[in-house]
Coordinates of all heavy atoms in Angstrom, one line a residue:
D1 N 29.8 -130.8 -73.2 CA 30.7 -129.9 -72.4 C 30.6 -128.5 -72.9 O 31.6 -127.8 -73.0 CB 32.2 -130.4 -72.6 CG 32.3 -131.9 -72.1 OD1 31.6 -132.2 -71.1 OD2 33.2 -132.6 -72.6
G2 N 29.4 -128.0 -73.1 CA 29.2 -126.6 -73.5 C 29.4 -126.3 -74.9 O 29.3 -125.1 -75.3
V3 N 29.6 -127.3 -75.8 CA 29.9 -127.0 -77.2 C 28.8 -127.8 -78.1 O 28.6 -129.0 -77.9 CB 31.3 -127.5 -77.7 CG1 31.5 -127.3 -79.2 CG2 32.4 -126.8 -76.9
K4 N 28.2 -127.0 -79.0 CA 27.1 -127.7 -79.8 C 27.7 -128.6 -80.8 O 28.7 -128.3 -81.5 CB 26.3 -126.6 -80.5 CG 25.1 -127.2 -81.3 CD 24.1 -126.2 -81.8 CE 24.7 -125.3 -82.8 NZ 23.7 -124.3 -83.4
K5 N 27.2 -129.9 -80.8 CA 27.8 -130.9 -81.6 C 26.8 -131.4 -82.7 O 27.3 -132.0 -83.7 CB 28.2 -132.1 -80.8 CG 29.4 -131.8 -79.8 CD 30.6 -131.6 -80.6 CE 31.8 -131.4 -79.7 NZ 33.1 -131.2 -80.5
Y6 N 25.5 -131.2 -82.5 CA 24.6 -131.8 -83.5 C 23.3 -131.0 -83.5 O 22.8 -130.6 -82.4 CB 24.3 -133.3 -83.2 CG 23.5 -134.0 -84.2 CD1 24.0 -134.5 -85.4 CD2 22.1 -134.2 -84.0 CE1 23.3 -135.1 -86.3 CE2 21.4 -134.9 -84.9 CZ 21.9 -135.3 -86.1 OH 21.2 -136.0 -87.0
T7 N 22.6 -130.9 -84.6 CA 21.3 -130.2 -84.7 C 20.4 -131.1 -85.6 O 20.8 -131.5 -86.7 CB 21.4 -128.8 -85.3 OG1 22.3 -128.1 -84.5 CG2 20.1 -128.1 -85.4
E8 N 19.2 -131.3 -85.2 CA 18.2 -132.0 -85.9 C 17.0 -131.1 -86.1 O 16.5 -130.6 -85.1 CB 17.8 -133.3 -85.2 CG 16.6 -134.1 -85.8 CD 16.8 -134.5 -87.2 OE1 17.8 -135.2 -87.5 OE2 16.0 -134.1 -88.1
T9 N 16.5 -130.9 -87.3 CA 15.4 -130.0 -87.6 C 14.2 -130.7 -88.2 O 13.1 -130.0 -88.4 CB 15.8 -128.9 -88.5 OG1 16.3 -129.4 -89.8 CG2 17.0 -128.1 -87.9
T10 N 14.2 -132.0 -88.5 CA 13.1 -132.6 -89.2 C 12.4 -133.7 -88.3 O 11.4 -134.2 -88.7 CB 13.6 -133.3 -90.5 OG1 14.6 -134.3 -90.1 CG2 14.2 -132.3 -91.4
S11 N 13.0 -134.0 -87.2 CA 12.4 -135.1 -86.4 C 12.6 -134.8 -84.9 O 13.6 -134.2 -84.5 CB 13.1 -136.4 -86.8 OG 12.7 -137.5 -85.9
L12 N 11.7 -135.4 -84.1 CA 11.8 -135.3 -82.6 C 12.6 -136.5 -82.1 O 12.6 -136.8 -80.9 CB 10.4 -135.3 -82.0 CG 9.8 -133.9 -82.0 CD1 8.3 -134.0 -81.7 CD2 10.4 -133.0 -81.0
W13 N 13.4 -137.1 -82.9 CA 14.2 -138.2 -82.5 C 15.5 -138.1 -83.3 O 15.5 -137.7 -84.5 CB 13.6 -139.6 -82.8 CG 14.5 -140.7 -82.5 CD1 14.7 -141.4 -81.3 CD2 15.4 -141.4 -83.5 NE1 15.7 -142.4 -81.5 CE2 16.1 -142.4 -82.8 CE3 15.7 -141.2 -84.8 CZ2 17.0 -143.2 -83.4 CZ3 16.6 -142.0 -85.4 CH2 17.3 -143.0 -84.7
F14 N 16.7 -138.4 -82.7 CA 17.9 -138.5 -83.4 C 18.9 -139.5 -82.7 O 18.8 -139.8 -81.6 CB 18.6 -137.1 -83.6 CG 19.2 -136.5 -82.4 CD1 20.4 -137.0 -81.9 CD2 18.5 -135.6 -81.6 CE1 21.0 -136.4 -80.8 CE2 19.1 -135.0 -80.5 CZ 20.4 -135.5 -80.1
N15 N 19.8 -140.0 -83.5 CA 21.0 -140.6 -83.0 C 22.2 -140.2 -83.8 O 22.2 -139.9 -85.0 CB 20.9 -142.2 -83.0 CG 20.9 -142.8 -84.4 OD1 20.9 -142.1 -85.4 ND2 20.9 -144.1 -84.4
T16 N 23.3 -140.0 -83.1 CA 24.6 -139.6 -83.7 C 25.7 -140.0 -82.8 O 25.5 -140.5 -81.6 CB 24.6 -138.0 -83.8 OG1 25.8 -137.7 -84.6 CG2 24.7 -137.3 -82.5
S17 N 26.9 -139.9 -83.2 CA 28.1 -140.3 -82.4 C 29.0 -139.1 -82.4 O 29.2 -138.4 -83.4 CB 28.8 -141.5 -82.9 OG 29.3 -141.3 -84.3
V18 N 29.7 -138.9 -81.3 CA 30.6 -137.8 -81.1 C 31.9 -138.3 -80.5 O 31.9 -139.2 -79.6 CB 29.9 -136.7 -80.2 CG1 28.8 -136.0 -80.9 CG2 29.5 -137.2 -78.8
Y19 N 33.0 -137.7 -80.9 CA 34.3 -138.0 -80.4 C 34.6 -137.1 -79.2 O 34.5 -135.9 -79.3 CB 35.4 -137.8 -81.5 CG 35.3 -138.9 -82.6 CD1 34.4 -138.7 -83.6 CD2 36.1 -140.0 -82.5 CE1 34.4 -139.7 -84.6 CE2 36.0 -141.0 -83.5 CZ 35.2 -140.8 -84.6 OH 35.1 -141.7 -85.6
V20 N 35.0 -137.7 -78.1 CA 35.4 -137.0 -76.9 C 36.7 -137.6 -76.4 O 37.0 -138.8 -76.6 CB 34.3 -137.0 -75.8 CG1 33.0 -136.3 -76.3 CG2 34.0 -138.4 -75.4
G21 N 37.4 -136.8 -75.6 CA 38.6 -137.3 -75.0 C 38.3 -138.0 -73.7 O 37.2 -138.1 -73.2
P22 N 39.4 -138.6 -73.0 CA 39.2 -139.3 -71.8 C 38.7 -138.3 -70.7 O 39.0 -137.1 -70.7 CB 40.6 -139.8 -71.4 CG 41.3 -139.8 -72.7 CD 40.8 -138.7 -73.5
G23 N 37.9 -138.8 -69.8 CA 37.4 -138.0 -68.6 C 35.9 -138.0 -68.5 O 35.2 -138.7 -69.2
D24 N 35.4 -137.1 -67.7 CA 34.0 -136.9 -67.4 C 33.4 -135.9 -68.4 O 34.0 -134.8 -68.7 CB 33.8 -136.4 -66.0 CG 34.2 -137.4 -65.0 OD1 34.2 -138.6 -65.2 OD2 34.7 -137.0 -63.9
H25 N 32.2 -136.2 -68.9 CA 31.6 -135.3 -70.0 C 30.1 -135.1 -69.7 O 29.5 -135.9 -69.1 CB 31.8 -135.9 -71.4 CG 33.2 -136.1 -71.8 ND1 34.0 -135.1 -72.2 CD2 34.0 -137.2 -71.7 CE1 35.2 -135.6 -72.5 NE2 35.2 -136.9 -72.2
H26 N 29.7 -133.9 -70.0 CA 28.3 -133.4 -69.8 C 27.6 -133.4 -71.1 O 28.0 -132.6 -72.0 CB 28.4 -132.1 -69.1 CG 27.0 -131.6 -68.7 ND1 26.8 -130.2 -68.4 CD2 25.8 -132.2 -68.5 CE1 25.5 -130.1 -68.0 NE2 24.9 -131.3 -68.1
F27 N 26.5 -134.1 -71.2 CA 25.7 -134.2 -72.5 C 24.3 -133.5 -72.2 O 23.6 -133.9 -71.3 CB 25.5 -135.6 -72.9 CG 26.7 -136.4 -73.2 CD1 27.5 -136.9 -72.2 CD2 27.1 -136.5 -74.6 CE1 28.7 -137.6 -72.6 CE2 28.3 -137.2 -74.9 CZ 29.1 -137.8 -73.9
D28 N 24.0 -132.5 -73.0 CA 22.8 -131.8 -72.9 C 22.0 -131.9 -74.3 O 22.6 -131.7 -75.3 CB 23.0 -130.3 -72.7 CG 23.5 -130.0 -71.3 OD1 23.1 -130.6 -70.3 OD2 24.5 -129.1 -71.3

């Protein structure tokens, strides 16, 4: 939703979890 939540600098793959509120969300 337009806010940076995670950065990975050592690999071309990542997994993470993020807390969001109810509703529709946009993941980039």
